[in-house]
Amino acid sequence: MKAAIPTLRLLRTTPFRLALLYLGLFIISVGVILAVVYRSTAGFLEEEIGATIALEVAGLQDQYRSAGLRGLVDSVRERSGYSHTNSIYLLTTPGGVILAGNLSGWPDATAGPGGWTHFKISDYGGVNNRPSTAMAVSFVLPGQFRLLVGRDMSELDQLRGRMVVSLRWVFLVTVVLGLGGGLLLARGAMHRIEAINRTTHRIMAGDLSGRVPRGGGGDEIDRLAGNLNAMLDQIERLMTGMRQVTESVAHDLRTPLSRLRARVELALIRETDDPEVYRGVLQDTILEADRLLATFTALLSIAEAESGANRKGLEPVRLADVVRLAADLYEPVAEEKGLTLVTDIRAEPTVRGNEQLLAQAVSNLLDNAIKYTPEGGRITLLLEGAGPGQVARVTVADNGPGIPADMREKVLERFVRLDTARASPGNGLGLSLVEAVARLHDASLRLEDNEPGLKVGIVFPPDAG
């Protein structure tokens, strides 16, 4: 069940702040658009009214030129007498006496450029005494007679009012929807982030099996969850390996250490002056100590490879040189045991890696093959180049007893040895080291049946070149 997120805490979250930022930008954009719409609509209508007034002025001027003042007065009176007109007319003498028109007096408003002026009709009677404004143009006729022609702007004023109210509602709805959407988006993001936080708390409490849930949408939070889960898998694998190492070291090293102590204690108890007896005890002690040191050295190499500390030092390595060096080193050992070691280098690929660790991995594979292949057997060391899904592959194949299919994953763990191999010297860390080195180089370790025997391959992917 998802935990409820307090409102105050939600308001302080980064998703909500981003939502507010986008909301602010959106509101500004909507405000600019609405202002442009308002100005364009109202401005267009006002321009149309101005053009109509200009046409009326032109007609009255023609009337004055053709019929004189009397004709102009008659025309103004006729036009002013229409009951459903929105036009405004006023003709006065130089002294201000009204000759014709539908206004009670000359407006006090100051005329602007071109004689255009705006004033309230209610102050001067006007058409139907409506409390609206008017737009008019005035000019002086010959003889100092003044003529004013305009239009009642009540309809445009009503339209403007309605547009303002409508745009306010649009703006308010936009703000509410944007704020609500921002809260929903922030809450959704916070639920997913809270799921990550709950998982981290479980892990900090000791539950390494916890994983971050993924939404399935493939967005950046899903990618983050995938990366975190991969990191947690690696941490769990390392922690499990550490526990296994601790238990295995305590179990597997107790016997040789006890044997070492008993051998030394027995030599001290034995009453003899023969120096050869003590020499033999010391030699056996040194051999036992060397085996212990070899075990710790292998553990350190595995830890070094698994830590990834050497990734920064990876450089181009010629795998053919590594394979030749390992073959030259182990060929005498194979001959001494009566085995045939065949080296087959089919390509000379180069990969980015740690040459020392790669040489140690190949050497471990050869050492295992020589150790478990019976006398008269055959071991093949094969290097291949680019192929499907690979840039290079190093394979060591033998015709020994092999490893059962159900045990091939198990033998990669530390200190794991098959029952058939317990009589042979070793510590069960060889294949663990090879796998750690392969993982360091983003390669895969494959154990396959050689019919008979075992075939172990280190496969380097194309991006390892």
Side-chain angles (χ1 to χ4, degrees):
M1 183 177 179
K2 294 181 179 179
I5 302 175
T7 303
L8 290 179
R9 184 179 177 187
L10 180 64
L11 297 179
R12 293 195 299 266
T13 61
T14 299
F16 182 75
R17 291 174 181 174
L18 289 176
L20 282 183
L21 175 61
Y22 291 135
L23 174 62
L25 295 176
F26 183 67
I27 288 175
I28 293 174
S29 302
V30 171
V32 171
I33 293 174
L34 295 179
V36 170
V37 170
Y38 175 79
R39 293 288 297 175
S40 299
T41 304
F44 173 77
L45 293 176
E46 192 167 336
E47 288 177 0
E48 288 293 314
I49 292 174
T52 302
I53 294 174
L55 289 176
E56 287 200 63
V57 169
L60 292 174
Q61 286 178 334
D62 292 340
Q63 184 72 24
Y64 180 73
R65 282 193 294 267
S66 62
L69 180 61
R70 173 54 58 186
L72 178 60
V73 170
D74 293 340
S75 180
V76 169
R77 287 176 177 173
E78 179 182 1
R79 297 187 184 190
S80 302
Y82 295 150
S83 59
H84 299 291
T85 182
N86 287 332
S87 298
I88 297 172
Y89 304 95
L90 185 61
L91 176 62
T92 66
T93 64
V97 178
I98 298 176
L99 297 178
N102 51 12
L103 291 180
S104 61
W106 193 270
D108 293 333
T110 303
W116 289 95
T117 183
H118 290 78
F119 57 92
K120 290 180 65 176
I121 297 178
S122 58
D123 295 339
Y124 305 96
V127 182
N128 299 325
N129 292 322
R130 287 178 290 196
S132 59
T133 60
M135 180 177 71
V137 61
S138 61
F139 54 93
V140 179
L141 299 173
Q144 299 300 310
F145 293 96
R146 294 191 297 173
L147 176 64
L148 182 143
V149 180
R151 181 62 61 89
D152 183 0
M153 303 290 286
S154 59
E155 294 181 356
L156 182 58
D157 290 340
Q158 291 177 4
L159 177 62
R160 283 174 173 170
R162 291 174 182 174
M163 286 184 63
V164 169
V165 172
S166 299
L167 294 180
R168 284 177 180 174
W169 276 108
V170 170
F171 188 78
L172 180 61
V173 171
T174 300
V175 172
V176 172
L177 291 179
L179 186 59
L183 287 172
L184 290 177
L185 291 175
R187 184 176 292 274
M190 280 304 301
H191 278 313
R192 300 177 68 181
I193 294 174
E194 283 298 318
I196 297 176
N197 288 332
R198 288 194 298 271
T199 301
T200 56
H201 286 312
R202 287 173 53 194
I203 294 171
M204 288 188 293
D207 181 12
L208 295 180
S209 64
R211 293 296 180 269
V212 178
R214 303 181 67 173
D219 57 9
E220 60 278 359
I221 297 183
D222 274 351
R223 292 196 296 272
L224 174 62
N227 292 333
L228 288 175
N229 289 337
M231 179 186 69
L232 293 173
D233 290 339
Q234 177 70 1
I235 292 175
E236 184 179 19
R237 184 166 52 249
L238 293 176
M239 294 297 294
T240 302
M242 184 181 299
R243 284 195 298 267
Q244 291 176 348
V245 167
T246 303
E247 296 171 357
S248 300
V249 167
H251 180 271
D252 289 19
L253 297 187
R254 180 173 55 189
T255 299
L257 286 174
S258 299
R259 188 167 55 243
L260 181 65
R261 183 182 185 281
R263 186 178 293 115
V264 174
E265 186 177 13
L266 185 61
L268 291 174
I269 295 175
R270 185 180 302 172
E271 295 180 359
T272 178
D273 295 331
D274 187 359
E276 292 300 322
V277 174
Y278 293 108
R279 181 182 297 274
V281 172
L282 290 176
Q283 288 177 344
D284 291 341
T285 301
I286 291 174
L287 290 175
E288 198 71 51
D290 286 341
R291 282 195 289 269
L292 292 174
L293 289 174
T295 299
F296 281 111
T297 301
L299 288 173
L300 289 175
S301 297
I302 293 173
E304 182 182 11
E306 288 185 337
S307 68
N310 289 317
R311 283 187 181 273
K312 296 181 179 179
L314 298 183
E315 56 186 16
V317 176
R318 292 170 54 87
L319 286 179
D321 295 340
V322 174
V323 170
R324 290 191 186 98
L325 179 63
D328 292 343
L329 180 63
Y330 279 90
E331 189 171 3
V333 181
E335 292 179 356
E336 184 179 350
K337 193 178 176 182
L339 304 174
T340 302
L341 176 58
V342 178
T343 304
D344 185 3
I345 299 178
R346 299 181 181 178
E348 303 246 350
T350 300
V351 299
R352 289 189 59 80
N354 184 298
E355 185 172 3
Q356 180 181 356
L357 290 177
L358 288 173
Q360 189 171 0
V362 176
S363 298
N364 279 17
L365 294 179
L366 286 176
D367 185 73
N368 280 350
I370 293 172
K371 188 186 301 181
Y372 299 117
T373 302
E375 185 177 354
R378 177 188 176 92
I379 300 172
T380 302
L381 176 57
L382 173 64
L383 173 61
E384 299 173 283
Q390 69 180 45
V391 70
R393 176 176 179 140
V394 179
T395 304
V396 175
D398 61 61
N399 55 2
I403 299 177
D406 59 342
M407 292 296 294
R408 288 173 188 166
E409 290 292 331
K410 186 70 175 177
V411 296
L412 299 180
E413 299 177 5
R414 297 176 179 86
F415 297 106
V416 174
R417 304 187 71 192
L418 299 179
D419 293 337
T420 56
R422 294 193 179 276
S424 303
N427 49 29
L429 296 173
L431 287 177
S432 298
L433 175 60
V434 176
E435 187 196 28
V437 172
R439 192 182 302 120
L440 175 67
H441 293 81
D442 296 325
S444 59
L445 183 63
R446 300 180 183 177
L447 278 64
E448 302 168 346
D449 196 349
N450 197 37
E451 298 179 351
L454 180 68
K455 181 165 59 176
V456 184
I458 303 176
V459 181
F460 295 88
D463 56 358

